[in-house]
Amino acid sequence: MISKTPIGKYALRTTFAVLAILGISYLIAIYSRDDGVNRPQPASGAAAEAPQAAGPGGATGGSPSGPKIVGYRSTMLPEVSQTPRKDSMGMDMVPVYEVTGSMLELSEHARAMASVETVPVRRRRLTRDMRVVGKVQYDETRLATITSRVEGYAEHLFVRFTGVEVKRGDRLVEIYSPDLVIAQQELLTVLDFSRSSNLVESSARKLLRWGISQSQIDELKRNKKIHERLTLSSPIEGTVTERMVVEQSAVKPGDVLYRVANLEMVWVYLDIYEYELSWVKYGQSVEIKSEAIPGQSFTGRVGFINPVLNEESRTVKVLVSVDNTEKLLKPGMFVSATIHAELRADGKAAPTGVEGLWTCPTHPFVFQREPGQCPSSNVPLVQIPGGPKPETEQLPLVVPLTAVLDSGLRKLVYVERAKGQFVPVEIEVGPRTDDAYLVLSGLSEGDLVVTRGNVLLDSQFQIRGLPSLFYKDGQGPAASHAHDSPSPAGTKNVPPSTSRIPAIPPATGSGDPQHQQHTRP
């Protein structure tokens, strides 16, 4: 039982006072320890000494060797002041120091807590993979249409349904034509009663134009036997894709009877968006896959880039020729494709390997090392402009994707200039790949860039009012939000007054324990 005598009351008060002093001392000891993050350093990298003298309200004044105090700010409210005082909540304002550089120095402990990791900037081969979609179509150079050149009747069909595989010279349809009989009789009459070679040649030419072969004409001259029916054959090897004639039907000159397509080669039309068009070049390798053929891919080359843009889809058609010997790709299929574009140091697409070769203007997939005639159309070959890639060309400078902070208007990386000293560097980048950016300016080979913890570094730069991702020239106090005092002059680097996170005061500075408790997380 506690005594109620004056001596007992005095002992009780003394005990409570001692406990309060010990508790306050313990809080000061905890919150005065260095948290591992130092103040922003000058550009030279020399560490500034902490102010020694404590001003009113727990604020410290600048020393000859330390940073200069340019103002004071509240830790909880958007208030600034030129002199040390308390804010509207009764909390001491913290000093804001003059910043002469944009460097942040971290101790080993702070670096470990923030999980900061750096990697050197290197030069290496860089490939941009453009993933697009497309559609399989017929190879237009391997199509054939069988039409009737005479009027008559389709008496017999050798091919009665589509999808049949035919070879060159296989019979398709047999047509009876009275006009053809008359034309053959005219040729025989000219041979018997006229010695004019012009009449004979004219009659034979008429039969050739109607579809009679030269061998059949020679046989007619020899045997004097008229053929009442005309047989039409396939001019190419391929697949019958269309049949527009039925047996015993009448046909007229110009009627399409069959369509035949060779499917051993097919074309794939890819849709390339206009912003990716600069990285697509003639001769690039393309990998094609189809969901209908899982586990198998096809390889082709870019053979033609359509010069016209589709205004509705904002895409350009790019033609790729694909070997389809097994006939797995069917015309009309949708496919996905990957265009492998190797990049140069300036961000443009590198040569594809076909530069300097000879090709046909009408058959762009014909490549020859020497000039000559096109084997398909006998058209003179033309040389593909450009030359091979120089062996001594410098490789692209590459920075990891995770190292770049992007605000939409500018891109920033944090570079470690010395041990634990970090500075922001604005860079200009080229194309983006799956894991890296191509650097056009701002970095040099060997620079150490932060790939992990850069967001935390940027937040510390923003807290201190230093140049950061969203503030190119640093931040100033929002004077319009101050309640009762103007913003101090020369506080260009003071963080905005709307931020509730104060700049971290000097680790060795003294201050009121109550103030320390509210300013630390």
Side-chain angles (χ1 to χ4, degrees):
M1 181 174 181
I2 300 175
S3 174
K4 296 184 179 180
T5 62
I7 297 177
K9 293 181 180 179
Y10 177 78
L12 183 62
R13 291 176 182 174
T14 302
T15 303
F16 286 157
V18 171
L19 292 176
I21 293 173
L22 291 175
I24 294 174
S25 301
Y26 178 73
L27 293 176
I28 293 175
I30 290 178
Y31 290 105
S32 296
R33 287 183 297 180
D34 185 10
D35 62 354
V37 182
N38 299 328
R39 295 188 306 276
Q41 302 297 323
S44 61
E49 297 181 1
Q52 302 297 325
T60 58
S63 65
S65 60
K68 178 182 178 182
I69 295 178
V70 295
Y72 297 84
R73 59 167 295 169
S74 170
T75 60
M76 303 295 290
L77 299 174
E79 297 180 10
V80 294
S81 174
Q82 290 181 325
T83 58
R85 64 180 181 85
K86 295 182 182 293
D87 59 19
S88 302
M89 296 180 62
M91 307 300 298
D92 291 327
M93 290 188 174
V94 296
V96 178
Y97 299 93
E98 182 181 33
V99 178
T100 58
S102 57
M103 180 179 291
L104 184 69
E105 185 171 355
L106 298 182
S107 66
E108 288 292 339
H109 175 69
R111 184 186 178 109
M113 291 295 293
S115 300
V116 175
E117 296 180 1
T118 59
V119 297
V121 179
R122 292 286 183 250
R123 292 189 179 274
R124 62 178 175 87
R125 303 180 73 89
L126 194 63
T127 301
R128 177 182 173 86
D129 294 337
M130 290 171 285
R131 294 172 176 84
V132 296
V133 296
K135 190 175 182 180
V136 181
Q137 300 287 0
Y138 296 108
D139 184 343
E140 296 178 6
T141 64
R142 296 170 178 261
L143 295 177
T145 301
I146 292 85
T147 60
S148 174
R149 299 184 182 183
V150 296
E151 186 175 357
Y153 304 92
E155 287 194 344
H156 181 67
L157 300 182
F158 297 98
V159 175
R160 296 177 178 272
F161 58 92
T162 58
V164 175
E165 299 286 338
V166 296
K167 297 185 180 299
R168 183 185 182 92
D170 284 355
R171 296 177 297 174
L172 300 176
V173 62
E174 193 174 67
I175 299 176
Y176 167 74
S177 174
D179 294 339
L180 185 61
V181 174
I182 296 174
Q184 293 180 78
Q185 186 62 53
E186 289 178 357
L187 177 59
L188 295 178
T189 302
V190 170
L191 288 173
D192 292 339
F193 297 100
S194 176
R195 296 180 180 178
S196 174
S197 60
N198 292 334
L199 290 176
V200 175
E201 183 179 354
S202 177
S203 299
R205 189 179 299 112
K206 181 190 294 186
L207 292 174
L208 288 173
R209 291 175 178 174
W210 280 357
I212 300 296
S213 64
Q214 185 62 49
S215 60
Q216 290 175 323
I217 294 176
D218 294 339
E219 184 181 357
L220 176 63
K221 292 179 180 180
R222 236 181 2 258
N223 300 331
K224 308 295 184 180
K225 183 179 179 180
I226 296 176
H227 297 278
E228 295 183 352
R229 293 168 179 80
L230 172 66
T231 301
L232 301 182
S233 303
S234 174
I236 63 171
E237 179 180 354
T239 303
V240 176
T241 59
E242 292 184 62
R243 178 183 63 87
M244 284 77 73
V245 62
V246 295
E247 203 165 67
Q248 302 301 326
S249 62
V251 296
K252 295 181 180 180
D255 287 351
V256 177
L257 308 181
Y258 292 94
R259 297 187 191 275
V260 181
N262 189 312
L263 301 179
E264 293 182 356
M265 295 290 294
V266 293
W267 285 355
V268 176
Y269 283 98
L270 304 178
D271 293 321
I272 308 296
Y273 286 102
E274 55 183 325
Y275 69 88
E276 295 181 320
L277 197 58
S278 60
W279 300 309
V280 179
K281 293 190 68 175
Y282 173 63
Q284 282 176 333
S285 175
V286 181
E287 183 181 6
I288 296 173
K289 294 183 178 181
S290 172
E291 292 184 357
I293 316 168
Q296 188 167 350
S297 61
F298 304 85
T299 303
R301 280 184 179 270
V302 174
F304 181 74
I305 301 175
N306 198 312
V308 180
L309 175 74
N310 187 322
E311 295 186 2
E312 295 181 358
S313 61
R314 310 305 301 176
T315 58
V316 172
K317 293 290 185 182
V318 171
L319 174 61
V320 179
S321 180
V322 182
D323 185 4
N324 190 38
T325 306
E326 298 180 3
K327 300 179 181 179
L328 297 177
L329 292 175
K330 316 294 184 184
M333 274 186 176
F334 287 105
V335 296
S336 59
T338 303
I339 302 178
H340 305 285
E342 185 177 350
L343 302 179
R344 302 192 315 187
D346 58 0
K348 297 180 180 179
T352 60
V354 300
E355 291 80 6
L357 299 180
W358 296 80
T359 187
C360 176
T362 58
H363 295 81
F365 298 103
V366 173
F367 299 104
Q368 293 186 8
R369 297 189 177 276
E370 300 295 335
Q373 303 290 325
C374 175
S376 300
S377 60
N378 293 326
V379 175
L381 300 178
V382 296
Q383 192 171 25
I384 301 173
K389 182 179 180 181
E391 297 181 359
T392 59
E393 185 178 9
Q394 200 172 33
L395 294 176
L397 188 65
V398 177
V399 63
L401 202 63
T402 55
V404 181
L405 300 178
D406 189 357
S407 69
L409 299 177
R410 54 197 294 261
K411 291 179 174 60
L412 201 73
V413 297
Y414 282 92
V415 179
E416 187 177 19
R417 296 299 189 196
K419 184 66 174 179
Q421 296 180 352
F422 301 91
V423 295
V425 176
E426 185 174 352
I427 63 173
E428 182 182 358
V429 300
R432 168 182 170 173
T433 64
D434 292 338
D435 60 347
Y437 275 109
L438 186 149
V439 180
L440 299 178
S441 64
L443 293 175
S444 301
E445 187 175 4
D447 285 345
L448 290 178
V449 294
V450 180
T451 57
R452 184 178 180 183
N454 46 3
V455 176
L456 295 177
L457 289 178
D458 190 74
S459 66
Q460 288 299 315
F461 272 80
Q462 291 187 40
I463 289 173
R464 287 160 173 76
L466 298 174
S468 56
L469 178 62
F470 294 100
Y471 301 93
K472 184 175 182 181
D473 299 321
Q475 309 172 67
S480 60
H481 291 277
H483 291 275
D484 55 359
S485 58
S487 65
T491 56
K492 178 181 180 182
N493 293 318
V494 180
S497 59
T498 55
S499 173
R500 295 183 179 269
I501 305 177
I504 298 177
T508 58
S510 61
D512 183 67
Q514 184 183 12
H515 170 70
Q516 296 280 348
Q517 182 177 2
H518 282 271
T519 57
R520 291 181 179 269

